[in-house]
Amino acid sequence: MLPDLAAIEAAAEIVHAAMPPTPAHCWPLLSRRAGAEVWVKHENHTPIGAFKIRGGLVYMDRLCREKPDAAGAIAATRGNFGQSIAVAARLKGLKAVVVVPRGNSREKNAAMAAQGAELVVHGTDFQDSLEYAHGLAAARGLHMVPSFDATLVHGTATYALELFRAVADLDAVYVPIGLGSGICGVIAARDALGLGTEIVGVCAQRAAAYALSFEAGRPVATNAADTMADGMACRVPDADAVAIVNAGAARVVAVGEDEIEAAMRAYYSDTHNIAEGAGAAPLAALMREREAMRGRKVALILTGGNIDREVYLGVLGGG
């Protein structure tokens, strides 16, 4: 299931044809705040402001090679995945349709439409949108792009490969978990390079499916995923992702809404970077584990910075 080093490097060639590697910086104020040497992998600096573009580029490349007559692609999303599909499909000359739940981020919706996607609004949460997208794919003859897939992991592993090659001897990497492609990519790159770095998954307490699945040793769904960190708002985990996370992660930390918002404010004050909820969650988890991680060398994956202006202003004014 997990790609080896040759496969990740091949995926990196596809990604880097469309965008350069993203930076990794050690921020002194963040390090002082956490009591550790803190490196940030800035996936908020991609062309869509999030790491998801990597999986989209690699997936669409494979789709066009294996199904050159594909009429178009459809995906369910809360925003960043949809942007990745929209951009990658446009580069390949394909139609893209994205299904989002009602009340989704207006600014993410606008970005997906600007990138050429047809926007369809259906359901109250991601799971509703996903189920509707499957039906729409069959009705309109579109290729359904899964939200978790081995090919997507090939793409996401490229940011981890960049990180591990840029920053040596990391003790731990904190990664947020939505449906799991990001953390599985980090585990894949860690294993491919033969490193001993701990991988720490992070989810929201209000969307704790992967934390519960880690504790139970099997997939555990929740009845709701009501978190402001929409990139982590998953209530039905993917079984393949759960197996990889449970085998390859050291632990999964569930953080509260107040902790996530405090981490968003810390990112702004200490680095002047905008972090959406999921992007800030790894810092929230590190601060939760501050005493245990004191003096260690740690990386945080800032997975994205796409958050509506009024929501972000509310967070900055809080605390």
Side-chain angles (χ1 to χ4, degrees):
M1 177 67 178
L2 290 179
D4 60 15
L5 184 57
I8 300 171
E9 289 177 332
E13 290 184 10
I14 296 169
V15 171
H16 295 155
M19 56 170 274
T22 57
H25 295 309
C26 182
W27 293 95
L29 289 175
L30 275 186
S31 296
R32 181 186 300 174
R33 181 186 296 272
E37 182 180 331
V38 178
W39 289 79
V40 178
K41 179 61 169 166
H42 283 282
E43 290 297 283
N44 58 318
H45 290 178
T46 75
I48 66 166
F51 81 100
K52 291 284 190 178
I53 190 171
R54 297 173 182 268
L57 290 167
V58 175
Y59 192 95
M60 284 299 166
D61 179 83
R62 179 179 177 183
L63 176 63
C64 289
R65 283 187 286 106
E66 296 184 352
K67 298 181 179 180
D69 58 345
I74 184 171
T77 184
R78 290 300 301 267
N80 290 339
F81 184 52
Q83 290 189 68
S84 80
I85 298 305
V87 169
R90 188 184 72 239
L91 290 174
K92 294 294 186 180
L94 293 178
K95 177 179 180 60
V97 180
V98 292
V99 183
V100 302
R102 292 186 295 274
N104 198 52
S105 161
R106 292 196 306 273
E107 293 177 19
K108 287 181 180 178
N109 286 355
M112 287 183 282
Q115 289 151 354
E118 175 190 341
L119 194 72
V120 176
V121 180
H122 181 88
T124 59
D125 63 9
F126 169 77
Q127 191 65 30
D128 286 345
S129 297
L130 179 63
E131 293 167 6
Y132 184 76
H134 277 284
L136 200 58
R140 297 177 58 174
L142 298 169
H143 177 83
M144 180 70 204
V145 183
S147 298
F148 181 86
D149 178 85
T151 305
L152 297 175
V153 175
H154 281 63
T156 61
T158 63
Y159 79 66
L161 185 64
E162 292 171 9
L163 172 65
F164 288 130
R165 285 180 166 169
V167 186
D169 302 321
L170 285 167
D171 292 310
V173 179
Y174 286 75
V175 194
I177 306 176
L179 206 54
S181 67
I183 188 171
C184 290
V186 177
I187 291 169
R190 187 268 314 268
D191 292 353
L193 293 169
L195 302 176
T197 306
E198 285 187 341
I199 310 301
V200 183
V202 185
C203 62
Q205 289 175 350
R206 291 167 123 184
Y210 278 86
L212 295 172
S213 299
F214 191 85
E215 293 172 4
R218 58 177 174 79
V220 176
T222 58
N223 292 325
D226 183 21
T227 173
M228 62 86 63
D230 54 5
M232 300 192 297
C234 168
R235 61 179 170 89
V236 181
D238 183 273
D240 289 335
V242 168
I244 294 169
V245 172
N246 286 12
R251 56 193 175 278
V252 177
V253 181
V255 292
E257 302 295 292
D258 289 347
E259 292 174 291
I260 294 169
E261 293 186 11
M264 293 167 70
R265 290 189 291 272
Y267 260 123
Y268 185 79
S269 62
D270 291 0
T271 76
H272 290 132
N273 274 268
I274 296 174
E276 60 185 273
L283 175 57
L286 174 59
M287 295 306 297
R288 168 85 70 83
E289 298 188 338
R290 187 174 186 270
E291 291 307 314
M293 301 304 291
R294 184 175 296 278
R296 302 180 74 187
K297 188 174 183 179
V298 177
L300 308 174
I301 310 301
L302 204 176
T303 49
N306 297 324
I307 182 170
D308 284 3
R309 178 177 179 270
E310 65 271 19
V311 176
Y312 191 58
L313 289 175
V315 171
L316 288 184

